[in-house]
Amino acid sequence: MSTLPRTRTWLTAHPLALDAALALGVLTCMLAGSFVDPHAEHPDKWGTRTPDAVGVTLMVLAAAALVARRRSPLPVLAATSALTLTELVTGDPRAPVAMAAVIALYTVASATDRPTTWRVGLLTMTVLTATAMLVGPAPWYDQENIGIFAWTGMAATAGDAVRSRRAFVAAIRERAERAERTREEEARRRVAEERLRIARDLHDVVAHHIALVNVQAGVAAHVMDKRPDQAKEALAHVREASRSALGELRATVGLLRQSGDPEAPTEPAPGLARLDELVGTFHSAGLAVDVVRADEDSTLPAAVDLAAYRIIQEALTNVQKHAGTQAKAEVSVVRVGPNVEVTVLDDGARGPAVPGSGGAGGGHGLLGMRERVTALGGTLTTGPRYGGGFRVHAILPLTSRTVRAEAPARP
């Protein structure tokens, strides 16, 4: 059972051996056919004629030429056709050398294009059939002459059909491989986008709360000896900020759970409904923040609502980190036509340094804001204000998907 597949695999890997085997089989058939006289009157036609030395030589040469049929199909067809013409002119009785020409014509048709197949096929059919009809001793309508015409025509047709089927199968395989590559690229792109989104969320959550913890811890350490009540209040804010950070981290990481996992978080994503709570955390850290809202109490899409909240959160965190303890910030949320505009300003005032505040240094906050706005098709503008301070202005469309973003870095 397993011998045949192994033999087929070996022959596929060694095409020259396959062609040699085919040539041997064709030679055997030609030699056997040369002992049969189709015009014999008695039923047993075997052995009624015997091929001469010239006929045997022509058959051997034609079969040997078939060994190179894959590498040189057209030259092999020319050689076998020439040997066939020689046999048609000189052979009496004729030997079936035309069988080799039929195999060579099939090879040409299966290995080349259709125009070449029909040009070469018609030429071969015409020359061989005309020679057999005009030069041979039998009448032009003899069955041997008609057989040459029929077999060469069938060889060209069969070879063209095989070539067309191969091209069709190759096209289907190529489309399937291209579709598979496209699916893999799409999967990689979605994974990269999801990783980027999770990284943005984690950065926004951690950066905000850790900044508050850092400031409050620095205040507590600074006033611990002289004003223990104020230090205790600062530590209470540290505890509250850390609890909020853990809650938001749990909600963010919970998005990675499978749908059937237990204890999946059900807390909704933060939005502008929690803006007062967010501003309150900065007030407790000593940052003065004024809020102006003119969004007509409209309900925003979830993605826009979350992006607006995160932009305000990150912008105020940057104010606290970079502008000092005496800075003042202004937040405005305005509904303008089909857009929501979010603006965060600060005056850039610097108060006395708080121990451990970590005011210097950079991060990915502005980059994360730009990516959020870009994903929604909005516009982000950031930069220093004239006279001091910094400005963050985001335009978030409620329906548009046009991708535009601009975000120069804070100096």
Side-chain angles (χ1 to χ4, degrees), residues 117-144:
T117 296
W118 290 115
R119 285 197 298 266
V120 174
L122 288 175
L123 178 62
T124 304
M125 292 168 58
T126 302
V127 172
L128 294 183
T129 305
T131 302
M133 290 180 175
L134 297 177
V135 178
W140 66 270
Y141 53 82
D142 188 77
Q143 61 181 359
E144 291 188 25

Side-chain angles (χ1 to χ4, degrees), residues 37-400:
D37 183 5
H39 300 285
E41 297 180 356
H42 50 81
D44 187 9
K45 299 181 179 182
W46 175 260
T48 54
R49 67 176 181 176
T50 302
D52 56 11
V54 175
V56 173
T57 302
L58 292 175
M59 286 187 287
V60 171
L61 292 177
L66 292 178
V67 177
R69 69 186 185 94
R70 293 179 190 265
R71 291 176 294 178
S72 305
L74 287 174
V76 169
L77 176 61
T80 54
S81 298
L83 293 172
T84 302
L85 290 175
T86 303
E87 172 61 22
L88 292 176
V89 173
T90 62
D92 190 14
R94 291 174 179 172
V97 182
M99 187 180 298
V102 169
I103 300 298
L105 180 57
Y106 167 83
T107 303
V108 170
S110 63
T112 59
D113 53 22
R114 180 164 294 174
T116 301
T117 296
W118 290 115
R119 285 197 298 266
V120 174
L122 288 175
L123 178 62
T124 304
M125 292 168 58
T126 302
V127 172
L128 294 183
T129 305
T131 302
M133 290 180 175
L134 297 177
V135 178
W140 66 270
Y141 53 82
D142 188 77
Q143 61 181 359
E144 291 188 25
N145 301 335
I146 303 301
I148 293 175
F149 178 82
W151 280 105
T152 51
M154 287 190 294
T157 304
D160 182 72
V162 169
R163 180 198 55 77
S164 299
R165 181 180 180 278
R166 288 174 182 170
F168 177 72
V169 171
I172 292 178
R173 183 180 294 111
E174 194 275 335
R175 284 197 297 268
E177 292 175 353
R178 185 169 60 248
E180 183 65 23
R181 289 194 302 268
T182 302
R183 284 194 296 269
E184 292 176 355
E185 293 172 358
E186 178 67 14
R188 286 194 295 269
R189 184 186 65 81
R190 291 188 178 183
V191 168
E193 290 180 351
E194 185 65 12
R195 290 177 61 185
L196 183 60
R197 185 191 65 80
I198 294 173
R200 280 199 306 264
D201 288 340
L202 290 176
H203 173 272
D204 292 342
V205 171
V206 173
H208 166 60
H209 291 290
I210 295 303
L212 293 179
V213 169
N214 193 24
V215 171
Q216 296 291 357
V219 171
H222 187 64
V223 301
M224 179 67 72
D225 296 332
K226 298 180 179 179
R227 286 173 288 178
D229 293 339
Q230 187 176 353
K232 184 182 297 185
E233 181 181 355
L235 291 176
H237 289 306
V238 168
R239 182 179 181 183
E240 182 62 27
S242 61
R243 183 185 295 111
S244 299
L246 288 175
E248 291 200 35
L249 282 175
R250 187 179 298 110
T252 301
V253 176
L255 296 176
L256 302 178
R257 292 178 180 268
Q258 299 296 328
S259 58
D261 289 347
E263 299 181 0
T266 57
E267 181 181 357
L272 294 181
R274 297 175 55 184
L275 181 58
D276 292 338
E277 178 184 344
L278 174 66
V279 172
T281 61
F282 287 100
H283 284 160
S284 65
L287 178 65
V289 181
D290 294 331
V291 178
V292 177
R293 297 191 61 174
D295 50 352
E296 302 174 356
D297 296 328
S298 57
T299 301
L300 303 180
V304 176
D305 199 21
L306 176 61
Y309 179 89
R310 293 302 189 194
I311 290 171
I312 296 172
Q313 182 185 55
E314 180 60 31
L316 292 178
T317 301
N318 286 341
V319 172
Q320 188 176 37
K321 289 169 58 178
H322 298 285
T325 58
Q326 301 301 320
K328 294 182 180 180
E330 298 179 5
V331 176
S332 67
V333 181
V334 181
R335 173 75 178 269
V336 181
N339 303 320
V340 172
E341 298 189 12
V342 177
T343 306
V344 180
L345 308 173
D346 69 83
D347 56 11
R350 280 194 174 273
V354 177
S357 63
H364 301 280
L366 294 181
L367 178 61
M369 285 191 284
R370 180 180 61 184
E371 291 171 348
R372 287 186 182 278
V373 175
T374 301
L376 296 173
T379 302
L380 177 69
T381 304
T382 64
R385 299 173 61 195
Y386 178 77
F390 202 78
R391 178 176 181 268
V392 175
H393 180 68
I395 300 177
L396 304 176
L398 301 180
T399 57
S400 175

